[in-house]
Amino acid sequence: MKSIDLRTITLLGGLAVIVALVFIWQGNAYGLRMLVEASCLAIVALGLNIQWGYAGLFNAGVMGFIAIAAFGTMLISYPLNPVFWQSEGPGLLGRMGLIIIIGGAITLLLSRSNRYGVPKKLRTVLTIIAAATTYLMAESALAPAAAIIEQNSGFVGGFGLPVWLGWLVGGLFAAVLAWFIGRITLGLRSDYLAIATLGIAEIVRAFLKNADWLTRGTLTVSPLPSPVPTATEIGFIAARSAYLCVTAAMIVVIFVLLQRGWASPWGRMMRAIRDNELAAEAVGKDVNRRRLEMFVLGNFIVGIGGAALVTFGGIFDPSGFSPINHTFLVLIMVVLGGSGNNLGAIFGALLVYIIWTMSEPAALFLFQHGANLIQQLFDIAPPADLPTRALQMRVFVIGLTIILVLRFAPKGLLPEKVTKYE
Amino acid sequence: MEQVGFLSAMPINEIVFFINKVVVAGLIIGSVYALGAVGLTLVWGILRFANFAHGDLMTLGAFIAFVLTMVMPGLGAAVGLPTAFVVMPIAMAITALITIGLDKAFYQPLRKTNPKPITLVIASFGVMLMLQGLIRLIWGTAPRNMYVTPKEIYRIPFAGKDIIITEPQLLLIVVTVVAIVALHLFLTRSRTGKAMRAMSDNADLARISGISTDKVVRTTWIIAGSLAAAAGTLLAMDVSLKPDLSFNILIPIVAAMIVGGIGQPYGAISGGLLVGFTETVAVFNWSILLRPLKPHLPDWIELPASIAFVPTEYKIVVPFVILVAVLIWRPNGIFKGKVL
């Protein structure tokens, strides 16, 4: 076993002191809530660390993967909606599914038709026509179905299955989405992945926000079922402690598995691909396939963490997902904590989340007093929306931190430990 | 109105509606994308990274123009143009200066360490967040109007109907054309322009043949910053000035850049127009064009009330689909970009 060095002990000790201070200032219930949220984000950060720290893949759309995972959880674990199942909704949706399956099969066949002697240009034209027709037919089948569902039963509802299954399915949703993105962009320049993930995140959000028949859109879905007894049953502190136990156990399991993975030949291969792609390719590693593996695995974990986070909040609100809270905050956690170091990612998640939540009252306090001072000195009234503006200051600080870390501490506070094999 | 021959057989109402909703609108949004994509593609061609802060540079430029407009609202009336347009060159210059400052403060020190391209991309995310935070901190989040006087609306009579185009839209088209011509002349005739092309082709070769890298980088940022400010101002004049432009405009612009081939200014222009037109065509309700056919159709065919390829709320999907399609089938773009 490697011995834990002084730097790690100091930093973790400092973190423990900060957490203790928050508990003393803000009370146990608040502190526990913060810790639970931070632990969920730590799982997300572990997932991102696989991608950025270990594979060097920059995912700029964490928010999208969190959102789709949250949707998966909601769909699986939310109680059944009997009105929907007794209405004609399922039949209409089934019809749309059938159109997609048949149309998709025809399109796929046509796209392969050059093997049976159809000229290539004709094949392309036929494929496009088939795909467009399928799309338009499915779209026109969906519109009335969605209208009827929204009118009669509100929305589709869930399947009423256990929450842990919902988290797994949420993770799978994120992983499948990641597979498609990765297939397209991982063979290309690294910047393309950033653009594609950024785009898909916005699309997922737009979809969840507008597909009222599936997600209730801006009306939001609540309360989401919780894996542990809720606050109304056993009180805030007990409920949050129980939830914290669940997420902490998940972190431990994921952390141990990842550490074992990195120590194995598989982990060594991944580091080789990250550090010298050409050399890895020269010794026969399939670089793109391995990267896809990492990207999908990373997003699976991101999805699980995101699902746990949203379940804890108890409300599925598609407009609540924002790039600042769910993408860049996580990015900072990984970069600041130390990319390529799982302990660093967890450390970063806790530290950054505490600073982030504490900075809200701090920013408001500073701005209010600054505004009062200016008003007394120069007699200028502060703008009415000062609180919302003050919170924007935090966005600025996140951006500045990203740049400062990149420049002055590119390895983060807890840098990756390079193991030497001699 | 009496109409004879060919025209009387045409469904004029529908055609004019189509021109207003698709041709004009596509041209407008396409021009904005083109102006943005040119700057982005030049930066990528010279510095080899995607500058994600570009969308917020556009917003910043627009807000600077807004402040200048508020400072001297009467300026426009003296010239006979909207004030925001008259002060636009000043806003462009200020934005260009800010862009150079951003490069000096954030990108240049990182470039010195010879990082992976993705590091600069992450830095540009940092700059993006800083700009976003600052803009909302200073100006709040409410949408604003760039006009001190009402907008002028031109109606071009077309076969008894009017094609409607507003003053800012006309200005936008004029500015885009002027910018394209000027950029073309600059890149092909001037010494600096040639140096830029040389550096985009092969940076090392350019450096050892005595081209000043710093100067080229500076010029690139000036062009990118000022075009971004122009695009942002004109877009804000056409609709309204909002601080949350960034992602919504960034994805189409990046799509335009990649469609046109990275590092290719002309490609970026055509890519911008292509993305703009595809967007408007995709959200257009084709049912309206089919309506005149209705009397001629047999009864069993019922025209749906709305045949749009993409519902308006999913507009952002369109540039993304274009982007993905190009990445799958022609990763070099239609004009064969160099950097990949």
Side-chain angles (χ1 to χ4, degrees), chain B residues 292-324:
Chain B
L293 289 177
K294 201 164 186 190
H296 311 294
L297 286 177
D299 286 337
W300 54 270
I301 296 184
E302 233 181 276
L303 280 181
S306 144
I307 319 178
F309 288 104
V310 179
T312 323
E313 58 265 28
Y314 296 126
K315 209 168 162 185
I316 197 166
V317 178
V318 179
F320 187 76
V321 169
I322 298 177
L323 179 75
V324 167

Side-chain angles (χ1 to χ4, degrees), chain A residues 64-78 155-159 166 169-171 173 204 207-208 211 213-216 221 224 303 306-307 310 316-318 321:
Chain A
F65 297 102
I66 291 181
I68 193 110
F71 163 69
T73 305
M74 191 271 281
L75 189 68
I76 293 296
S77 64
Y78 196 74
F155 79 122
V156 169
F159 290 110
V169 171
F173 274 25
V204 167
F207 172 72
L208 294 179
W213 59 278
L214 195 60
T215 64
R216 276 178 53 133
V221 181
L224 294 181
V310 173
F316 176 74
D317 175 14
F321 298 107

Side-chain angles (χ1 to χ4, degrees), chain B residues 107-128:
Chain B
Y107 296 133
Q108 205 181 39
L110 272 179
R111 269 207 305 279
K112 290 249 166 68
T113 61
N114 208 6
K116 289 182 192 163
I118 199 69
T119 312
L120 285 172
V121 174
I122 300 179
S124 80
F125 272 110
V127 172
M128 178 190 85

Side-chain angles (χ1 to χ4, degrees), chain B:
Chain B
M1 192 171 194
E2 192 87 11
Q3 279 168 354
V4 282
F6 176 67
L7 271 182
S8 64
M10 297 281 289
I12 292 300
N13 267 339
E14 283 74 17
I15 290 183
V16 169
F17 185 77
F18 178 78
I19 293 178
N20 276 334
K21 284 282 171 187
V22 175
V23 180
V24 173
L27 194 63
I28 301 303
I29 196 70
S31 304
V32 173
Y33 293 163
L35 283 178
V38 168
L40 199 60
T41 209
L42 282 177
V43 171
W44 198 334
I46 303 284
L47 297 166
R48 320 268 147 155
F49 79 100
N51 181 21
F52 279 82
H54 205 80
D56 290 280
L57 275 181
M58 291 172 69
T59 319
L60 182 70
F63 269 103
I64 293 173
F66 172 75
V67 169
L68 292 170
T69 313
M70 292 301 120
V71 170
M72 27 195 178
L75 200 63
V79 198
L81 286 167
T83 311
F85 185 72
V86 178
V87 296
M88 196 174 79
I90 313 174
M92 285 164 70
I94 297 176
T95 315
L97 280 179
I98 293 175
T99 321
I100 294 180
L102 288 175
D103 181 55
K104 282 259 177 328
F106 302 121
Y107 296 133
Q108 205 181 39
L110 272 179
R111 269 207 305 279
K112 290 249 166 68
T113 61
N114 208 6
K116 289 182 192 163
I118 199 69
T119 312
L120 285 172
V121 174
I122 300 179
S124 80
F125 272 110
V127 172
M128 178 190 85
L129 294 177
M130 287 167 66
L131 288 179
Q132 235 172 55
L134 269 189
I135 289 170
R136 293 184 192 179
L137 181 70
I138 302 174
W139 289 289
T141 45
R144 288 156 193 277
N145 192 355
M146 293 283 272
Y147 265 79
V148 272
T149 50
K151 279 182 207 177
E152 274 194 53
I153 294 173
Y154 304 108
R155 291 169 197 280
I156 305 159
F158 176 83
K161 285 277 158 192
D162 290 335
I163 296 173
I164 298 167
I165 186 162
T166 60
E167 191 178 22
Q169 294 178 336
L170 202 64
L171 289 173
L172 174 59
I173 296 170
V174 172
V175 168
T176 310
V177 172
V178 170
I180 292 169
V181 173
L183 189 71
H184 173 74
L185 290 179
F186 173 75
L187 285 177
T188 48
R189 305 286 156 84
S190 80
R191 234 181 129 69
T192 322
K194 286 179 188 165
M196 273 176 69
R197 279 163 58 210
M199 200 164 147
S200 157
D201 259 352
N202 187 332
D204 293 330
L205 195 60
R207 201 175 298 120
I208 56 168
S209 23
I211 288 172
S212 159
T213 325
D214 284 349
K215 193 177 164 198
V216 168
V217 169
R218 211 158 46 230
T219 321
T220 311
W221 283 117
I222 291 177
I223 297 176
S226 49
L227 284 184
T233 312
L234 289 164
L235 179 67
M237 284 166 68
D238 183 25
V239 274
S240 67
L241 179 56
K242 280 186 286 188
D244 53 358
L245 207 57
S246 60
F247 282 161
N248 296 329
I249 195 114
L250 190 68
I251 292 165
I253 285 181
V254 172
M257 171 179 78
I258 290 175
V259 168
I262 289 162
Q264 303 271 25
Y266 312 116
I269 292 157
S270 32
L273 290 172
L274 181 84
V275 173
F277 275 114
T278 321
E279 249 183 31
T280 46
V281 164
V283 297
F284 182 69
N285 184 358
W286 291 92
S287 180
I288 289 167
L289 279 194
L290 294 178
R291 214 167 282 160
L293 289 177
K294 201 164 186 190
H296 311 294
L297 286 177
D299 286 337
W300 54 270
I301 296 184
E302 233 181 276
L303 280 181
S306 144
I307 319 178
F309 288 104
V310 179
T312 323
E313 58 265 28
Y314 296 126
K315 209 168 162 185
I316 197 166
V317 178
V318 179
F320 187 76
V321 169
I322 298 177
L323 179 75
V324 167
V326 171
L327 286 185
I328 293 176
W329 286 294
R330 295 202 116 191
N332 286 325
I334 24 184
F335 288 89
K336 291 258 180 274
K338 281 158 291 208
V339 193
L340 191 79

